[in-house]
């Protein structure tokens, strides 16, 4: 059966939507006519994003690792728009890098998992009941090639992204008989603030592995991500899409 939904009147929540990849997708979805709500903890970035996205978009200062804050923001979105069609979890952090596993601090490991993994579940639990009610939803977790391949020097990050890929597989199956599709996207390197903050040796290690010998662009990310959350992407769920310039072959 063909999906009857269209982009029209759709509402998307994007965590980390005020900067980097989340913002690139926010711009693309806004162009497609979707109302985008960015949940981001940085008020300055939200103000900048709001200006660029225009009047239809919203930005809610939210620390997505805090379940009460997420619930408050999701409730506000439902109160204003009455629907949530799309959830994208893009807020993420690398934690310490360029170090070996025996040097990793447990505090840093926990912080990375709290944002990269646990927060994806927090937002999913807040949003899923609304999607189930309307029997429609597109959920996208931003994973990483690091979660498939394992980047040396990035233990916490790589294992957290592997966990995100696992979460996606479970949720895809659990909701397969509903109108909700849950997928992940695993980029290699796109030059955002997160990448610029890494040690140059770590960035070289990652970019050297890309067969296309270049980084991905924001636009390439946004196009692929927009397809994954589109109404037409109806028969794929629990899958991790690739965006790695040829690095991932499975
Ligand atoms: N850039 C890359 O090359 C790359 C590659 C693979 C995967 N990823 C993943 O893509 C996602 C986005 O990465 P990016 O490069 O755009 O990062 P970024 O640092 O450029 O942007 C992250 C955004 O998340 C927000 N954020 C951080 N912590 C938050 C919190 N607790 N609550 C709410 N918002 C918070 C930040 O304010 C920022 O706006 C991450 O999950 C990252 O792991 C990025």
């Amino acid at each position: 059966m063909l999906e009857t939904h269209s982009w029209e009147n759709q509402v998307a929540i994007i965590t980390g939507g005020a900067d980097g990849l989340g913002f690139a997708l926010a711009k693309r979805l806004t162009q497609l006519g979707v109302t985008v709500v960015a949940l981001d903890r940085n008020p300055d970035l939200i103000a900048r994003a709001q200006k660029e996205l225009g009047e239809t978009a919203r930005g809610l200062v939210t620390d997505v690792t805090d379940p009460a804050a997420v619930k408050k923001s999701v409730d506000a979105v439902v109160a204003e728009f009455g629907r949530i069609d799309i959830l994208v979890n893009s807020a993420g952090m690398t934690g310490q890098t360029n170090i070996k596993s025996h040097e990793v601090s447990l505090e840093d490991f926990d912080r990375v998992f709290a944002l990269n993994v646990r927060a994806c579940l927090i937002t999913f639990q807040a949003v899923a009941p609304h999607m189930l009610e309307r029997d429609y939803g597109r959920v996208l977790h931003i994973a990483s090639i690091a979660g498939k391949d394992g980047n040396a020097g990035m233990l916490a990050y790589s294992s957290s992204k592997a966990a995100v890929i696992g979460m996606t597989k479970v949720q895809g199956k659990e909701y397969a008989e509903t109108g909700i599709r849950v997928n992940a996207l695993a980029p290699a390197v796109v030059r955002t603030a997160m990448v610029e903050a890494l040690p140059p040796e770590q960035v070289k290690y990652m970019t050297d592995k890309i067969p296309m010998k270049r980084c991905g662009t924001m636009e390439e990310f946004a196009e692929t991500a927009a397809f994954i959350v589109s109404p037409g992407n109806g028969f794929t769920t629990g899958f991790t899409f690739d965006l790695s310039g040829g690095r991932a072959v499975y």
Side-chain angles (χ1 to χ4, degrees):
M1 197 181 74
L2 281 175
E3 286 280 353
T4 52
H5 291 266
S6 77
W7 291 116
E8 206 179 340
N9 298 323
Q10 288 210 349
V11 176
I13 287 181
I14 305 181
T15 77
D19 201 15
L21 303 183
F23 180 61
L25 179 60
K27 280 200 287 197
R28 182 71 190 117
L29 291 184
T30 302
Q31 284 167 359
L32 290 164
V34 174
T35 298
V36 173
V37 184
L39 265 49
D40 203 291
R41 67 164 179 197
N42 185 322
D44 296 335
L45 291 175
I46 282 193
R48 196 186 65 182
Q50 174 89 63
K51 222 168 153 186
E52 210 173 313
L53 293 175
E55 271 173 19
T56 56
R58 299 280 182 280
L60 298 174
V61 180
T62 314
D63 178 349
V64 293
T65 63
D66 175 356
V70 168
K71 186 177 181 316
K72 195 171 159 210
S73 293
V74 169
D75 286 351
V77 175
V78 173
E80 181 169 3
F81 302 107
R83 61 192 281 175
I84 301 168
D85 302 276
I86 298 167
L87 167 66
V88 180
N89 279 309
S90 187
M93 66 191 288
T94 58
Q96 295 171 314
T97 64
N98 204 27
I99 50 170
K100 294 228 162 67
S101 296
H102 70 277
E103 301 163 320
V104 168
S105 98
L106 293 178
E107 290 74 21
D108 186 69
F109 186 89
D110 288 346
R111 264 197 303 276
V112 170
F113 267 71
L115 178 59
N116 292 7
V117 187
R118 190 168 173 270
C120 292
L121 180 59
I122 291 171
T123 57
F124 185 85
Q125 289 186 333
V127 167
H130 301 290
M131 290 182 166
L132 285 169
E133 216 173 277
R134 294 178 53 245
D135 199 29
Y136 182 84
R138 295 286 181 267
V139 177
L140 171 60
H141 301 303
I142 307 304
S144 168
I145 184 70
K148 285 183 164 188
D149 255 23
N151 279 350
M154 301 179 77
L155 184 270
Y157 185 74
S158 301
S159 3
S160 74
K161 294 301 186 179
V164 169
I165 292 170
M167 185 187 297
T168 305
K169 291 177 181 176
V170 173
Q171 292 174 339
K173 291 188 182 72
E174 286 180 349
Y175 300 94
E177 290 178 74
T178 74
I180 301 175
R181 304 288 171 261
V182 186
N183 291 292
L185 175 57
V189 187
V190 182
R191 289 209 169 258
T192 62
M194 192 181 90
V195 172
E196 297 305 336
L198 292 173
E201 312 90 281
Q202 189 70 63
V203 178
K204 182 170 166 21
Y205 169 91
M206 298 188 308
T207 45
D208 280 355
K209 287 183 184 298
I210 301 175
M212 286 188 196
K213 297 291 174 222
R214 68 168 176 90
C215 294
T217 66
M218 299 284 200
E219 291 74 21
E220 286 167 333
F221 169 83
E223 280 303 322
T224 308
F227 165 70
I228 297 168
V229 299
S230 69
N233 185 22
F235 197 50
T236 304
T237 197
F239 184 64
T240 297
F241 286 80
D242 172 55
L243 191 81
S244 68
R247 179 171 167 191
V249 289
Y250 65 100

